[in-house]
Amino acid sequence: MAPSLDGQEADGRGPEDGRSVGFHLSPELDPSEAPYALRVGDAPREDGDGVVPVADFPIGGDWEYDRIRAGRDADRTDGLVGSFQCCTSRRRPEPEKTGAESRPIWETSDLSWLDFQRRHWSTLWHMRTMYNRMKKCESDSEALGPGPEQDKLWHDSFALTAVEMRKHAEEAKGCFIKAGQVMSTMVGVLPDEITSELMSLTDHLPVSTPEEVFRMIRKDLGHAPRDVFSSFDLEPVASASIAQVHKARLRSTGQVVAVKVQHEGVDKLMMEDMNTLTTVAGQVAYWSPDLDFRNLVEEMREVLPSELDFREERRALDRAGKVLRREGNPCIIPRVHKTLFGPHVFVMEFVDAMPIMNLADPEFCKKHQVDKLVVVRSLVDAFCIMAFKDGLFHADPHAGNIRMVLDSSAPGGARPVIFDWGLFKEVDDHERLVSAKVFHCLGNFDVAGVFDALALLGFSFKAEAMTDDFRREILERARNVMKDTVSRETVRANVKIDMAEQKERVRKAMEEGKTAKASYSPLWFLDGLPKCVMAFLRMLQILRGLCVALDAQGLPILQILCSRSREALQQGSLREKLSSSLKLYTGRECLSRKLPSESETVSPRSAQLPVRRQDVALEERIRAKLEALREAGRMVGAQVAVVSGGAFICDVSGGSLSSTDSRPVRCSTRFPMLGAVGGVGALAVLRALRRLANDPNNAFGITSVKEALNMPVARFWPGFGGGGSGVTLRALLGHAAGLQDAFPVGFSASHLDRVAAMSEHLEQVPLQGPYEPRYAYLLQAFALTRLGDCMANADTLLHWLGAELGPLGLDAAAPAGGEREASVCRELQSLARVSMTEVEAGRDRRKIIDETSAAGVATCSLMQAATRDPLGFDPLQGNAGNGAQFRGGLSLGASARGLATMLSSETLQQELEALGALERAGSDNTALGWLLTGGASQWTSGGLQVLPLRSIGGSACLPGRSVTGFGIVCGLGPCLAHFPGLGSDGGLTVAITVNDVLHGRAVAAELMSEVLSGFGYCPAWTSMPMRVMADAARLARSEELEPLMKMGGLQATRAGLLDASRGAPSAEASKAAPVCCAGLLSRQGPHGGATRALRSLGARCLAGCGGGGAGGGGGGGGEGGGRGTEEPLDV
């Protein structure tokens, strides 16, 4: 008996008596070499060389590989002359009495030129046949019209085409198998007949012969297989388009491993296939120019060499496995052997896994207690980790490459296993992080951020296509692609609707002569598509198709993408090399075209103010409050600056620059002023007026300082309000000029930068007055910019603010990037959930836009404009573009230190008194105005906001002494206040800046309460008046709000308005209330009216007592800032 591969002698027993399967060795051949003869399923034959056992585990099936005959080449063409039959599908001669069909095998090691030509022309023949069939079916179906006969026609056509595609892929192999695997994942997009038929290509593919396998192992590892493995299963565990996997045991360690071996000759086959696919792509582009995928084929050609080099696959496998294990993701990626690898063979950990498609069977999930949605979420999360946090990801996640292992300890009861890393994509840090930015912005409905990031990636858009409406449409369609997973029936219906909408777009474009838009290509608006994006899209499409095939409905794909992309951006910002080099973090150019130095971000007067550290208790309280807010997830970054007696008694900062930039906020960091820029602009107007009034030769005829505010705006800006308008400066600054109803129809994001056009619009709109005060969000900044140009020759609002308020300490600047600039941010998880309701609302919105555009209405109100395009009013627009863009003034930034320095100026206080600018004027009693002004919706004659305080040191139920201040408060966060009656000589000035607009109003109110509590007061303006409550209830139930409610994530707005209209105190406020307040707040009983009255009194008591200490007074604590007033008295 000859020695076996594991050094033992064979005893001659066959598989039927429990031993491993053997094979016969020809005397003249080395066991590690090919060709040789093998019979599986029969008892070993005794001959001179004996039987060599090669595996410790039996092989299933009855396969027979006969020894290659010398005359094989002569036999292979028998019967194939004039046929397009593909040579790579030849079957070995079947053995006698096997009792089973032989399995197709790979036989590509010695293909001739004639073989390749047959494959090439066979492919083109099939393509042409299927194309002609589809065209004929399309023609016949139009003649039949909708109905069962038409459906049957398409069904039969798709079924026949699917079988032809599957058979050709099995025969031709190579790239055609990979193409079929990708198409099998497009469930709901492609017809079910095609996806179901092609699903077989993910498993049960042809295999290489053992002789070819051993030859590749000997060639790559440099050793005979018996020297490396003590046993080797000759039946492959799996076979794919490039390689197959065998189970084996290492001789050195006894470890069971998987050996991946490339099909011999497949490298040449795949490269030839690329030539065929290039021809196919060119032909398809000729037939249908809208379906030009030649760039995709070229991308495949570039990555194919690395896919065929198993050293690259092994590297990707090793790197991805380490990343997922580090992140704690439950997905399994096999570990690789450190030394056993080569360009065509490598050894890895053996994982005994089952098909992932088992999850599609409800009975299987029930039997094994598997939560399908949790398991699939872990899989999607793994791909997000790889793509955004590492930059190397699997690019071919079809069902054949994804399997699973049952594990009761894992989330959902199973762990996905990711195999076959031949096709992967590796991107650099720039591509990785900017792609993460794209998905983060998509999840936050940030249209401006999406297009800024796409530009950084290298997207090239056709200029004629990039209207605001179309940008919104692209955003909606992108979110549609990444909506929460739905059933395949819903996907199919959605695709049909999209196709109908696309046909209508093409029809209209052809009628209007817009040739660029008259294209069926979904990417007609692009001049170029970056290659890295193609890999992302391919991976997401296949992964989403797999989810649909598994019927994993309700999976929040975009939410998972958004979460992991945010983490990647945060980590990248902390790497100095990245944060200092990538434009993603360095920001935009400022107007001065140079990055200001640290000394330039702090104004001269601010630098001269001594920073006293005497109020240590205040600073400690503020720092503790900032940390508590940050840990609760209610604050991203904030600053608090307090000036008293001409010096800083508190100057504190905390948090990070944005939700995606974890660099720390400093006291010199500039925060976007957002809506507060209108109030700061009003101060610039007042200073200019005082200066002009002191000049007896001024060009505007100002003779009295006290009467300056009563002069008509048209005296300075002749064209305002249609010319000859009677609106005064007092009315304009006090938001009583009618601007809130003067938005142009079609107002959108691009209008935020069109200062001249908006000024012309305000000159065409007749504004005569008088008007009720209504907060003029955005339009106030445009009006003041033009007014500044007329009064002081200031060409931009920034230059005007710098000239008038810079000497007082304001450090206003356009965005300059770096660590001295915070960004507007919001993190609302519900926005990243994309439902079919949102998708349908997007379609309805596009129809409404077409109808509205044809109506020709001149102006509309703030609510009407926001309903038509809410993204034009999105505060995140303040992050868009470069520093030279106006963005409605939203992007202009300043620090809390600079704002406090300016407002505490004794010079400014004297000028305000001289002008009579602090006299109380009208109030905006609408819910919208109250929310946008942070509750401070009463103005002074000079355009500042009235800020009343309440004592928290008096009686529990009786109001204490009151103090009134003035300042600038924005409902999105920034808050600037001066209280002449508090603090040392000169009063108390408090400036608060925040960058999280989602919690901005509540956080600013809490921080203001924390500061004022040390002086015995709390803000009273955060309590919603009853008139505002009534309007909130009306608005919450009105049809005006309906379009906004359909927008993703904003459904909570209605609940918030209803909550505010009821004045319901928060749970935290009730818990923290003193005994007298708590007893009334907890009042229960059957008598509704009396009960509500008592609870209302309790809420007033809570407001008067300060609600449990600092930060709770006046309804300023928690998210309930503004809920201090309970329901109206109902007795």
Side-chain angles (χ1 to χ4, degrees), residues 213-511:
V213 170
F214 282 2
R215 186 158 58 231
M216 296 296 285
I217 293 175
R218 176 68 174 260
K219 178 182 177 181
D220 264 31
L221 301 186
H223 299 283
R226 64 181 178 185
D227 295 335
V228 180
F229 308 106
S230 60
S231 62
F232 193 96
D233 193 343
L234 297 178
E235 179 183 5
V237 177
S239 180
S241 57
I242 292 180
Q244 63 191 45
V245 179
H246 291 263
K247 187 175 182 181
R249 189 182 299 276
L250 293 178
R251 181 176 295 278
S252 58
T253 64
Q255 178 187 2
V256 177
V257 294
V259 185
K260 185 169 184 177
V261 184
Q262 192 172 114
H263 299 304
E264 193 171 17
V266 75
D267 48 356
K268 184 179 179 181
L269 185 73
M270 299 288 277
M271 296 306 296
E272 286 292 335
D273 285 348
M274 294 312 304
N275 296 330
T276 302
L277 287 178
T278 299
T279 304
V280 171
Q283 186 64 58
V284 171
Y286 174 76
W287 288 335
S288 301
D290 295 336
L291 302 177
D292 188 353
F293 58 92
R294 286 174 290 185
N295 289 339
L296 178 60
V297 174
E298 189 60 32
E299 171 76 3
M300 293 172 61
R301 184 187 294 274
E302 291 180 9
V303 303
L304 187 57
S306 64
E307 187 176 2
L308 294 169
D309 187 348
F310 281 2
R311 292 170 296 189
E312 287 295 302
E313 179 176 350
R314 177 191 174 277
R315 178 179 67 85
L317 198 69
D318 184 44
R319 175 171 159 182
K322 290 178 179 177
V323 169
L324 292 188
R325 287 188 285 272
R326 181 189 68 206
E327 294 291 331
N329 185 276
C331 288
I332 298 173
I333 295 183
R335 300 174 187 266
V336 298
H337 196 279
K338 293 182 179 179
T339 58
L340 296 177
F341 65 91
H344 308 100
V345 176
F346 74 96
V347 177
M348 57 185 158
E349 173 189 11
F350 181 82
V351 181
D352 190 8
M354 63 182 65
I356 191 73
M357 291 304 297
N358 287 351
L359 293 179
D361 181 6
E363 292 300 322
F364 173 89
C365 296
K366 182 178 180 181
K367 176 181 177 181
H368 297 281
Q369 297 183 342
V370 174
D371 189 330
K372 172 170 49 182
L373 210 59
V374 174
V375 175
V376 177
R377 185 185 183 107
S378 298
L379 178 64
V380 175
D381 185 52
F383 278 84
C384 295
I385 291 172
M386 292 183 287
F388 299 135
K389 304 188 75 172
D390 181 58
L392 185 150
F393 58 91
H394 195 297
D396 196 22
H398 59 74
N401 292 338
I402 309 295
R403 299 178 77 83
M404 68 174 178
V405 173
L406 295 177
D407 183 353
S408 59
S409 64
R415 301 178 66 186
V417 187
I418 308 175
F419 289 119
D420 195 355
W421 282 75
L423 188 58
F424 65 90
K425 181 65 177 179
E426 188 172 10
V427 296
D428 59 30
D429 286 331
H430 169 76
E431 294 170 329
R432 173 177 66 87
L433 292 172
V434 177
S435 297
K437 182 68 174 178
V438 171
F439 287 101
H440 182 266
C441 291
L442 279 174
N444 279 280
F445 232 111
D446 181 4
V447 63
V450 166
F451 281 91
D452 278 354
L454 291 178
L456 290 177
L457 270 180
F459 273 76
S460 177
F461 298 96
K462 293 178 181 177
E464 65 271 19
M466 288 298 103
T467 63
D468 286 325
D469 286 335
F470 193 70
R471 287 172 185 265
R472 170 77 182 275
E473 181 179 345
I474 292 175
L475 179 71
E476 289 173 343
R477 292 188 183 277
R479 287 173 61 89
N480 181 2
V481 171
M482 287 171 282
K483 62 181 173 292
D484 295 1
T485 52
V486 293
S487 67
R488 66 177 65 195
E489 291 77 14
T490 305
V491 172
R492 189 179 300 108
N494 198 37
V495 169
K496 287 182 179 179
I497 296 173
D498 286 342
M499 287 296 296
E501 192 174 8
Q502 193 175 19
K503 287 182 179 179
E504 181 65 15
R505 171 182 59 79
V506 172
R507 185 189 65 78
K508 286 184 178 180
M510 293 178 68
E511 289 178 354

Side-chain angles (χ1 to χ4, degrees), residues 909 913 918 963-966 978-988:
Q909 307 301 323
E913 289 289 345
L918 300 181
V963 172
T964 300
F966 59 85
H978 180 76
F979 305 102
L982 295 183
S984 304
D985 294 340
L988 180 74

Side-chain angles (χ1 to χ4, degrees), residues 1004-1023:
E1006 288 191 51
L1007 291 172
M1008 182 65 74
S1009 295
E1010 193 69 49
V1011 172
L1012 295 175
S1013 64
F1015 298 88
Y1017 287 89
C1018 66
W1021 70 85
T1022 56
S1023 300

Side-chain angles (χ1 to χ4, degrees), residues 46-69:
E46 292 291 344
D47 56 22
D49 294 313
V51 177
V52 182
V54 294
D56 290 343
F57 24 82
I59 303 176
D62 295 315
W63 299 352
E64 179 176 324
Y65 298 91
D66 293 339
R67 181 171 176 184
I68 299 174
R69 300 183 302 276

